[in-house]
């Protein structure tokens, strides 16, 4: 079968590799219907993270082709959406809603690579969720978004305690930030301030529910958020970038007692000043999103056409042209690229 | 009147200063019944924080001597307990429970100094709480503890979401850590692990409700907490020290999805690695405790003799001997020193 590897930073290739096989009785083999390129895939592309002939991809929807003997909730032919982290969904950590830190957690991106025609998914019952039936083609992008960016933006909004009566600010206008806007709206937030400098992303943010746009960043951006909130700061701030600057912007834009939900992948060397965190008196929570917690609800919202997260994909290419997709995202010509199969 | 100043690091003196007067109509003047020395007073004592003839003290109980025209909830003669942060208790931040970050917040330690015979308390209605009557003498130490260490330990336990079914670990065996143990017990925690190497503090921790003692620190201490919790870590961890080491010990001892309540005053230069915080997936919340939020409840618990936080004072000295009190705490001969008037 064909799959995408990154041979070296900036060097994305299609390779022929062996078809995956069932190894453990809890595995499933899926045939991918669609996959995509994540903002986090750009870190190795840009040489910020090491990469060496690495199978790429961790977002996926597809059809179950084969199941191990112990798989109980899925059958061959089911259309499924999976999380970017493998989880058993039964351990104490999963049951508390943190499937991304399951005692059996495994990152799909590091070992499996779903920018490919097929994939072996361990702990299939705990990782995959079947849709109510085979989806109409126009639902595929939205279901694919649920696999990571929607689930991640949703987790950020939940971690930031977005809800009725709340003012929510969103730092980062990439796909995850935009999904954070959508999630905050669905969770009932009163006011949603998207921090963005790009006209196309601002438009999509407004479509997803943003009530205000702030173009300023850093200290100036924080001052603007305070102006909009009686000098107090937002109740809830979603951080969807992962740099020191964006983290500090999020913390400083939050009122005392407010909540920061941070899902931008923080990189080695980024540190936070404990004294400022102490005196800010905010709540800080984030990390790799436990997408599996939210998948059943998100699938239903998509199935019922109550949300349309798939609009975040503004470029679709065949899998074979993945290299062009990476380039487009790297050059910010695309927010997010769907790879069709 | 007499008051304590720190002339320079390690140099604590009694000075004569002018009696405080009502300045604003929301002020009250109180005559101190008891005050005490805080662990945070040792930072300038040790030269870690700048000090220059600074009036000391921020914990206090006393009797109202005079009130401004706009004070409504207090009358002359009331016995009161106050928070170490001035608050109006009416602004949006106070109403959300964060009186320590009130829009009119002022630290008692930096401007007022309650290691003295009298003190002017701004926003008296919002800062002070009257007890149901004049307390029996044996209740004074406990009411004084409510002013800071009990309120702070309580906030840490609430921030760490200590409660029924939870395993709570406490990093730090000073007065605040011990109060964290007491609070976790009152909040219904199932198991409370005190991290302590001092026999006297271990004994008090057990008396306050600790079910387990861990003497190991750092990585070894974290490993021990994991051993005691099926390899997962504690649900709730109270951090009551404020160093990089203690913060990392607290974060690493917490299970994914668990809660760290940190109240050890973090000092400049202490930083936290954002990537580890991200992948740890813990909730982090802390800061200067909004003691005012908890005071009515804590006073009632003390009044009804349901808790005895005053046992944390293991040395009582007259105000004039404050210098010896600082020395005893600095040398760890005393956990916490009460200064009587």
């Amino acid at each position: 079968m064909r799959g995408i590897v990154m041979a070296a930073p900036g060097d994305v290739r299609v390779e022929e590799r062996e078809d995956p096989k069932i190894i453990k009785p809890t595995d499933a083999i899926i045939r991918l219907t669609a996959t995509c390129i994540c903002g986090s895939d750009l870190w190795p592309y840009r040489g910020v993270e090491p990469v060496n002939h690495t199978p790429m991809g961790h977002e996926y929807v597809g059809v179950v082709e084969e199941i191990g003997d112990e798989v109980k909730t899925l059958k061959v032919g089911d259309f499924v959406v999976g999380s970017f982290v493998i989880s058993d969904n039964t351990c104490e950590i999963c049951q508390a809603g943190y499937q991304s830190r399951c005692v059996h957690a495994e990152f799909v991106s590091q070992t499996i690579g779903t920018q490919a025609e097929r994939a072996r998914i361990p702990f299939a019952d705990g990782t995959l969720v079947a849709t109510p039936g085979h989806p109409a083609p126009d639902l595929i992008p939205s279901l694919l978004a649920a696999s990571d960016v929607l689930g991640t933006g949703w987790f950020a909004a939940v971690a930031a305690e977005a809800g009725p009566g709340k003012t929510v600010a969103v730092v980062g206008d990439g796909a995850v930030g935009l999904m954070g806007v959508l999630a905050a709206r669905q969770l009932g937030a009163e006011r949603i301030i998207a921090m963005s400098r790009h006209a196309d992303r601002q438009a999509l943010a407004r479509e997803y529910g943003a009530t205000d746009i702030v173009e300023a960043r850093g200290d100036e951006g924080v001052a603007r958020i305070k102006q909009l909130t009686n000098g107090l700061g937002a109740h809830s701030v979603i951080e969807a970038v992962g740099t020191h600057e964006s983290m500090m912007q999020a913390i400083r834009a939050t009122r005392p007692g407010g909540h920061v939900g941070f899902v931008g992948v923080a990189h080695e060397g980024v540190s936070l000043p404990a004294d400022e965190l102490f005196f800010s008196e905010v709540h800080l929570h984030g990390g790799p999103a436990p997408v599996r917690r939210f998948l059943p609800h998100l699938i239903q919202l998509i199935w019922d056409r109550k949300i349309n997260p798939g609009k975040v994909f503004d470029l679709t290419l065949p899998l074979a042209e993945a290299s062009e997709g990476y380039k487009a995202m790297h050059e910010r010509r695309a927010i997010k690229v769907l790879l069709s199969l």
Side-chain angles (χ1 to χ4, degrees), chain A:
Chain A
M1 70 166 193
R2 290 170 308 152
I4 305 300
V5 291
M6 198 179 294
D11 183 358
V12 173
R13 301 180 189 177
V14 184
E15 68 166 10
E16 270 298 323
R17 64 173 86 130
E18 270 192 41
D19 275 337
K21 293 186 180 5
I22 297 284
I23 298 174
K24 292 190 178 174
T26 48
D27 290 349
I29 304 295
I30 61 168
R31 180 169 43 78
L32 279 286
T33 303
T35 181
C36 53
I37 304 172
C38 181
S40 68
D41 293 335
L42 296 180
W43 291 93
Y45 188 82
R46 290 168 177 159
V48 181
E49 267 181 14
V51 66
N52 179 11
H53 213 83
T54 310
M56 299 298 294
H58 56 265
E59 299 156 286
Y60 54 102
V61 293
V63 176
V64 176
E65 280 201 334
E66 197 183 344
I67 54 172
D69 291 343
E70 291 178 17
V71 174
K72 290 184 172 59
T73 63
L74 304 169
K75 58 184 190 305
V76 171
D78 278 353
F79 190 92
V80 291
V81 186
S83 161
F84 66 94
V85 185
I86 302 300
S87 57
D88 62 26
N89 209 29
T90 57
C91 74
E92 208 175 320
I93 301 298
C94 281
Q95 289 297 300
Y98 287 86
Q99 290 89 342
S100 44
R101 286 295 310 277
C102 169
V103 298
H104 293 110
E106 180 187 337
F107 281 98
V108 170
S109 59
Q110 286 167 6
T111 51
I112 297 169
T114 56
Q115 291 168 7
E117 290 177 300
R118 287 181 175 76
R120 179 182 73 89
I121 306 296
F123 291 101
D125 282 328
T127 305
L128 303 171
V129 177
T131 55
H134 271 250
D138 68 310
L139 290 183
I140 302 281
S142 288
L143 292 166
L144 178 60
S147 178
D148 180 353
V149 284
L150 172 61
T152 296
W154 197 275
F155 172 56
V158 168
E161 301 213 345
K166 299 282 188 74
T167 294
V168 181
V170 181
V171 178
D173 63 358
V176 172
L178 292 166
M179 296 293 97
V181 170
L182 178 155
R185 168 58 63 225
Q186 287 293 314
L187 293 166
E190 185 173 305
R191 191 173 191 183
I192 302 167
I193 308 168
M195 304 190 85
S196 171
R197 307 192 146 182
H198 301 91
D200 54 337
R201 297 172 187 219
Q202 291 175 2
L204 198 46
R206 284 202 186 274
E207 191 172 332
Y208 281 143
T211 54
D212 301 80
I213 302 286
V214 166
E215 295 207 345
R217 293 184 195 180
D219 290 348
E220 206 189 322
V222 170
R224 191 77 194 98
I225 299 291
K226 293 215 168 158
Q227 274 175 7
L228 292 169
T229 54
N230 296 323
L232 302 177
H235 299 92
S236 305
V237 178
I238 291 171
E239 192 285 331
V241 182
T243 62
H244 177 77
E245 291 68 30
S246 63
M247 285 294 290
M248 296 317 299
Q249 185 174 322
I251 291 166
R252 291 171 183 161
T254 308
R255 66 179 56 196
H259 292 75
V260 177
F262 70 110
V263 292
V265 183
H267 277 69
E268 211 183 311
V270 174
S271 68
L272 304 177
D275 54 343
E276 182 165 349
L277 200 56
F278 183 83
F279 288 104
S280 74
E281 205 123 23
V282 302
H283 298 74
L284 194 59
H285 182 46
V291 171
R292 184 59 174 79
R293 188 204 311 178
F294 308 111
L295 271 183
H297 181 54
L298 298 179
I299 288 171
Q300 199 60 52
L301 286 174
I302 293 163
W303 204 260
D304 297 340
R305 296 180 185 275
K306 289 187 177 154
I307 57 175
N308 187 7
K311 282 199 79 168
V312 83
F313 294 104
D314 53 355
L315 180 61
T316 296
L317 294 169
L319 181 71
E321 289 171 36
S323 178
E324 167 53 23
Y326 276 80
K327 200 152 177 277
M329 277 179 66
H330 169 60
E331 292 168 1
R332 290 182 182 266
R333 283 184 283 119
I335 299 174
K336 195 163 177 70
V337 176
L338 186 147
L339 299 172
S340 61
L341 287 117

